[in-house]
Amino acid sequence: MEKRLLSSTTPFTPPTAEDDRLSWLRLIRSPRVGPVTFHRLLAEHGSAAAALEALPAIAAAAGTADYTPCPVRSAEDELRRGARAGLRLLRHGEADYPAALSTLSDAPPVLWIAGSLLPLRAPALAIVGARNASSAGLRLAKELASELANAGFIICSGLARGIDRAAHEGAGPSRTIAVLAGGADCPWPEENLDIARLIARHGTLLSEQPPGMKPMTRHFPLRNRLISGLSRAVIITEAAQRSGSLITARNALDQGREVLVVPGHPLDPRAEGCNMLLRDGATLIRHASDVMEVTGRPPPRNPLPQSAPPRPLGQGAAIARAMAAAAKRSPGPTLRERILTLLSPAPVAEDQLLRQLGIPPAELAPALLHLELENAVERRPGGLLCSPGTRQG
């Protein structure tokens, strides 16, 4: 059975040859036409249809013979897949298109949306960071997201594991925007299908990729520019020296957004990128109040409805089956690996580690004992745990 994020569908109306949606989709899906080229062609030729007619001659003048734009059938199939998945198509310039993205030179000509449009109308902040985040990093990201969402901000992130997921969870599903690297109906990783379904019901899932598109490596930098573009500022919480979060930070600077950074322990590789950004002049933050001092508080907000999807959802049977299938394909990290990932040079309380692992104390105790005997975990006074080799004299 086909896996769907939204179990209900939107009635599909076959497009006519004059349907402008077809021309827009054909133009942006044509070979070697990206967002910047799309906007230039649209400005030069007045319409997507006229630009499509001119494309073969433009390609020939550039030395590319036998250039073929995206076929009509491919654009029709994309519209059909979007309707079948319960998605909504937004085009650049339409009233509901996010204002924060509309001024970017590489603004996506089309966006596919799952869920509500309401979060797109509120001021947003991005929170991004390491996928293999520490326990302290996850707690801080979740607390920041919760406090900033309660202050009136929408929290934007990429629905990856680690810091991204913590940010979405902290904000709550109705106060978050998840920007996906693949299609809006293809959340990744599959272990995040549970929170993706909540966001699709109460908040916003967003992608510029066609419905059904599985995420590829080249899609993630494109996604990152949308995360920063939607936001007033980007908050970096734990980022290695060669991290996708640093790409988001560079995008933010190019787009005129603030870059706010949580400092990290100098011995933790997950903090190298953050500390490097601080060295180069990024703004250091510790609490939500620091963020609001830089960005200002948003105006008083009307509470967003807790359950106002544009289309009703079913009971989620398809999602449950997809999650069960994903669990069988990907058994996930061992308990030992999960503990070592959560620990860092910054000490963390054992009960906090227990909560984040979601296991009973009787299961954690022997695992910690083995790790201590291996010198892979160090105990500190007060029931604190950390990575070894960081004791100060």
Side-chain angles (χ1 to χ4, degrees):
M1 181 176 291
E2 179 184 6
K3 179 179 70 178
R4 297 174 183 167
L5 180 65
L6 306 181
S7 50
S8 64
T9 60
T10 301
F12 176 69
T13 303
T16 65
E18 294 78 23
D19 192 333
D20 204 27
R21 296 176 303 162
L22 276 181
S23 298
W24 277 58
L25 285 174
R26 289 185 63 207
L27 185 57
I28 189 56
R29 306 305 182 209
S30 291
R32 293 185 289 283
V33 176
V36 174
T37 302
F38 179 99
H39 293 301
R40 187 179 73 246
L41 289 169
L42 203 63
E44 290 175 354
H45 298 278
S47 71
L52 281 166
E53 289 184 12
L55 260 182
I58 294 171
T64 302
D66 300 324
Y67 180 90
T68 303
C70 172
V72 172
R73 184 181 297 275
S74 295
E76 290 175 340
D77 287 344
E78 181 170 343
L79 287 175
R80 187 175 289 106
R81 289 195 306 272
R84 191 163 56 237
L87 305 178
R88 181 180 307 191
L89 180 69
L90 287 184
R91 291 183 295 163
H92 186 271
E94 292 180 340
D96 289 324
Y97 190 93
L101 288 182
S102 62
T103 58
L104 301 182
S105 62
D106 59 352
V110 297
L111 293 171
W112 284 102
I113 306 291
S116 172
L117 297 176
L118 293 177
L120 299 177
R121 301 168 188 159
L125 297 171
I127 298 179
V128 297
R131 288 185 173 91
N132 63 331
S134 69
S135 175
L138 292 172
R139 182 183 63 180
L140 181 58
K142 197 168 186 176
E143 289 176 356
L144 275 173
S146 177
E147 293 173 17
L148 291 169
N150 287 335
F153 287 105
I154 295 296
I155 302 303
C156 185
S157 198
L159 201 66
R161 58 175 63 93
I163 295 297
D164 285 22
R165 175 166 182 138
H168 292 305
E169 288 178 336
S174 68
R175 302 292 305 177
T176 194
I177 299 171
V179 185
L180 305 185
D185 57 342
C186 296
W188 184 91
E190 289 186 305
E191 67 201 54
N192 282 348
L193 281 171
D194 56 343
I195 190 170
R197 183 175 181 274
L198 284 174
I199 296 172
R201 185 178 181 87
H202 303 293
T204 304
L205 288 174
L206 175 153
S207 175
E208 65 180 319
Q209 302 301 331
M213 172 72 74
K214 300 296 183 183
M216 295 186 251
T217 301
R218 61 184 174 85
H219 293 150
F220 288 91
L222 298 174
R223 176 205 63 177
N224 292 348
R225 89 186 193 287
L226 300 187
I227 294 173
S228 57
L230 285 162
S231 308
R232 288 187 181 182
V234 174
I235 301 166
I236 311 290
T237 306
E238 290 193 342
Q241 198 166 12
R242 298 173 182 266
S243 165
S245 299
L246 301 191
I247 297 175
T248 310
R250 287 195 293 273
N251 288 332
L253 294 172
D254 292 341
Q255 295 163 344
R257 276 50 168 172
E258 296 280 353
V259 176
L260 313 178
V261 178
V262 178
H265 197 290
L267 296 179
D268 191 342
R270 290 171 288 203
E272 287 180 355
C274 292
N275 294 337
M276 183 176 65
L277 288 171
L278 291 171
R279 180 200 64 192
D280 294 340
T283 301
L284 184 150
I285 62 160
R286 302 156 300 165
H287 313 292
S289 58
D290 295 336
V291 178
M292 287 182 279
E293 185 177 331
V294 174
T295 63
R297 286 182 176 270
R301 61 180 173 91
N302 294 323
L304 293 182
Q306 290 300 306
S307 181
R311 304 170 183 88
L313 300 179
Q315 298 302 310
I319 288 294
R321 285 193 294 271
M323 291 176 65
K328 290 180 181 178
R329 290 194 300 271
S330 306
T334 64
L335 177 57
R336 182 183 191 280
E337 292 168 337
R338 293 173 66 199
I339 294 171
L340 292 178
T341 295
L342 289 171
L343 292 179
S344 73
V348 62
E350 185 171 337
D351 60 347
Q352 180 186 324
L353 182 67
L354 196 63
R355 286 194 299 272
Q356 290 177 320
L357 290 168
I359 60 174
E363 190 174 341
L364 178 61
L368 284 178
L369 178 60
H370 281 95
L371 288 170
E372 287 181 75
L373 293 174
E374 296 173 19
N375 198 33
V377 168
E378 183 177 295
R379 283 195 179 270
R380 296 287 183 87
L384 300 178
L385 301 165
C386 66
S387 302
T390 62
R391 191 179 296 276
Q392 300 176 356

